[in-house]
Amino acid sequence: MAGNLPLKIRSVQELLQLRGLPDTKHPLVSLINISALPHPPKPLDLSVTTDLYFIGISPSTQACLKMKYGQQAYDFDKGMMKFIAPGRVFSFNPDQAEEITLSGWLLLLHPDFLWNHPLGQKIKQYEFFDYAVNEALFLSDGEEKIINGLFQHIEQEYNNSIDKFSQGIIISLIESLLGYSERFYQRQFITREITHHGMVSQLETLLEKAFSPEMLKEQGVPTVKDISAQLNISPNYLSTLLKTLTGNSTQQHIQEKIIEKAKEKLMRTDLSVNEIAFELGFEYPQSFSKLFKTKTQLSPLEFRKSGRF
């Protein structure tokens, strides 16, 4: 492998061979019952990127392989699920791989398996495939039973003789698996409310600082990527979290802060609309006026004349 570029893996079978795992029964999908393996997967001391979807679960009763995703490492040892989309870079930590008891499930799925099925497009809309490593789904005992039950049903169908119904049934079960995962993530946002509301407070503090005249002049209007990086959270996770707690995405929070600052300037200064637009980081005043009217149903000048604040 040249330089530090990750190894590109294009097929299910290629990954299984690389890790010394049993051959797949279908070229486009493989379900691995980790506890049934005769030996641990072969350590993989390198970074890889694949064309595959990964859906994995480790139960709360066992420890599992360490894995590195992006720049962070974690253990699959607390009843958690993780989702990886095609094109992501990750690696497995080989440390002590032979000394721990392996358990759990891993589903490898090539997008072509979903070709000509609605899930082929729908799967791209599940934002948790783009969450960072520290944003894994932590399962309650009841949730874990449901997820394990679905994996067991997939395994039963996967091990049956393939017929014209097999693919449709497996896809239906995968869709249920993703649907439950989405539901359980919503629960996680709510049950971790204290922590997450603290993050909302941090967001407001960051936005207030970002919209100070000095910061706006130096760095311009913050982006969703800027804000999420400062909070050490992925953009998708942050937006979903905010939608759950406040009803607004990160971008909408940024826009609300723009409108708040614009109202202050319109009512408390003599700056022209164009000057306000430039101070708030807009290259074109028309864009500022359009956003302001969308949010307030008034143009900036109409708002200034109304005297409302």
Side-chain angles (χ1 to χ4, degrees), residues 24-297:
T24 181
K25 297 181 179 181
H26 191 290
L28 298 177
V29 64
S30 180
L31 178 64
I32 303 166
N33 182 347
I34 300 175
S35 61
L37 293 176
H39 51 76
K42 186 186 299 181
L44 189 62
D45 193 15
L46 50 83
S47 295
V48 301
T49 181
T50 79
D51 290 339
L52 312 174
Y53 285 100
F54 287 65
I55 303 172
I57 177 176
S58 62
S60 55
T61 56
Q62 299 288 342
C64 208
L65 266 179
K66 288 185 178 180
M67 183 175 180
K68 188 172 183 182
Y69 183 43
Q71 297 301 312
Q72 302 185 59
Y74 64 99
D75 295 311
F76 279 102
D77 62 357
K78 297 181 180 178
M80 70 165 70
M81 292 189 73
K82 193 68 191 80
F83 308 83
I84 302 178
R88 304 298 177 221
V89 177
F90 62 96
S91 63
F92 294 89
N93 187 337
D95 295 346
Q96 299 178 332
E98 289 78 19
E99 300 177 11
I100 55 179
T101 302
L102 299 177
S103 62
W105 299 90
L106 178 61
L107 179 67
L108 307 177
L109 179 67
H110 195 286
D112 286 354
F113 186 72
L114 306 176
W115 183 81
N116 209 28
H117 189 282
L119 186 58
Q121 291 301 315
K122 186 177 179 182
I123 195 171
K124 300 174 185 177
Q125 299 171 17
Y126 289 105
E127 294 183 335
F128 44 74
F129 277 104
D130 290 316
Y131 290 170
V133 61
N134 58 324
E135 299 154 2
L137 174 57
F138 293 87
L139 301 170
S140 69
D141 290 342
E143 292 167 351
E144 193 174 321
K145 288 179 182 177
I146 292 172
I147 296 298
N148 277 320
L150 286 167
F151 273 115
Q152 288 164 5
H153 285 309
I154 295 173
E155 181 185 43
Q156 182 179 358
E157 191 61 36
Y158 177 76
N159 287 329
N160 283 342
S161 298
I162 295 177
D163 57 31
K164 66 178 182 179
F165 300 103
S166 301
Q167 184 171 357
I169 292 173
I170 291 174
I171 290 176
S172 178
L173 289 167
I174 292 172
E175 192 163 17
S176 294
L177 185 67
L178 295 174
Y180 274 108
S181 299
E182 188 171 40
R183 170 189 279 182
F184 297 156
Y185 254 119
Q186 291 301 308
R187 183 274 309 155
Q188 181 163 297
F189 290 135
I190 295 170
T191 56
R192 296 186 172 192
E193 188 172 5
I194 294 176
T195 300
H196 288 152
H197 273 297
M199 193 169 293
V200 174
S201 298
Q202 291 179 54
L203 170 67
E204 294 302 324
T205 301
L206 285 175
L207 288 179
E208 191 63 35
K209 181 179 178 180
F211 277 89
S212 65
E214 300 79 13
M215 291 294 288
L216 278 174
K217 185 176 181 180
E218 181 180 337
Q219 299 184 7
V221 175
T223 65
V224 173
K225 186 176 181 180
D226 294 333
I227 294 297
S228 60
Q230 291 181 69
L231 291 171
N232 194 29
I233 192 171
S234 68
N236 279 351
Y237 191 90
L238 178 59
S239 282
T240 306
L241 166 63
L242 291 174
K243 286 178 185 176
T244 302
L245 296 180
T246 69
N248 288 333
S249 67
T250 314
Q251 185 61 43
Q252 289 169 324
H253 273 271
I254 293 172
Q255 291 175 345
E256 292 295 334
K257 182 61 66 173
I258 291 173
I259 299 304
E260 175 188 321
K261 295 300 181 182
K263 287 179 176 179
E264 290 179 4
K265 292 178 183 295
L266 285 166
M267 300 307 295
R268 296 175 180 173
T269 74
D270 294 325
L271 294 172
S272 69
V273 172
N274 286 3
E275 288 171 329
I276 292 172
F278 292 133
E279 283 199 1
L280 290 176
F282 286 84
E283 185 176 357
Y284 303 105
Q286 300 94 321
S287 299
F288 164 68
S289 296
K290 181 179 180 180
L291 174 64
F292 191 92
K293 188 160 188 176
T294 298
K295 293 292 185 180
T296 68
Q297 285 72 57

